[in-house]
């Protein structure tokens, strides 16, 4: 059995849903992955063994306004750092 971090899926969705509002100077895959990595380093991991549990964890964070706000705030902060320190060369 493999471990799966549901938080990665949640943060990736938050990034993709809000990418236009972040006004990034570069939206390449490298910059998006950097934003994802910075965000995940600041948020608690939510590991599951059974991938059937993913919807419950996602629902728990998206239904909780405070949790959803924390995730979006973390993504915004990470996007700001990446925008100021691009490593992609674009």
């Amino acid at each position: 059995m493999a471990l799966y971090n549901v938080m990665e899926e949640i943060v990736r969705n938050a990034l993709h849903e809000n990418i236009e509002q972040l006004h990034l100077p570069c939206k390449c895959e490298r910059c998006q992955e950097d934003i994802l990595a910075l965000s995940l380093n600041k948020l608690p991991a939510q590991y599951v063994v059974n991938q059937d549990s993913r919807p419950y964890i996602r629902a728990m964070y998206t239904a909780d306004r405070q949790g959803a706000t924390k995730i979006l705030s973390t993504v915004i902060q990470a996007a700001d750092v990446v925008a100021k320190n691009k490593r992609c060369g674009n």
Side-chain angles (χ1 to χ4, degrees), residues 9-87:
E9 183 178 320
I10 294 168
V11 173
R12 190 177 301 275
N13 286 342
L15 174 59
H16 289 151
E17 288 173 3
N18 297 286
I19 197 151
E20 294 303 321
Q21 291 83 4
L22 294 174
H23 304 292
L24 297 170
C26 180
K27 296 175 186 162
C28 74
E29 185 177 343
R30 172 69 186 258
C31 288
Q32 290 184 42
E33 292 295 319
D34 284 347
I35 293 168
L36 181 64
L38 283 172
S39 299
L40 288 171
N41 283 330
K42 294 183 181 209
L43 293 166
Q46 294 295 318
Y47 288 104
V48 294
V49 176
N50 181 352
Q51 290 199 21
D52 293 339
S53 301
R54 291 183 320 176
Y56 301 109
I57 303 295
R58 276 197 321 264
M60 181 177 73
Y61 273 91
T62 54
D64 173 28
R65 286 254 189 234
Q66 188 173 6
T69 301
K70 181 177 181 178
I71 291 167
L72 186 54
S73 173
T74 303
V75 169
I76 291 168
Q77 290 171 4
D80 186 49
V81 170
V82 170
K84 292 176 182 171
N85 303 288
K86 291 188 312 179
R87 300 186 312 153

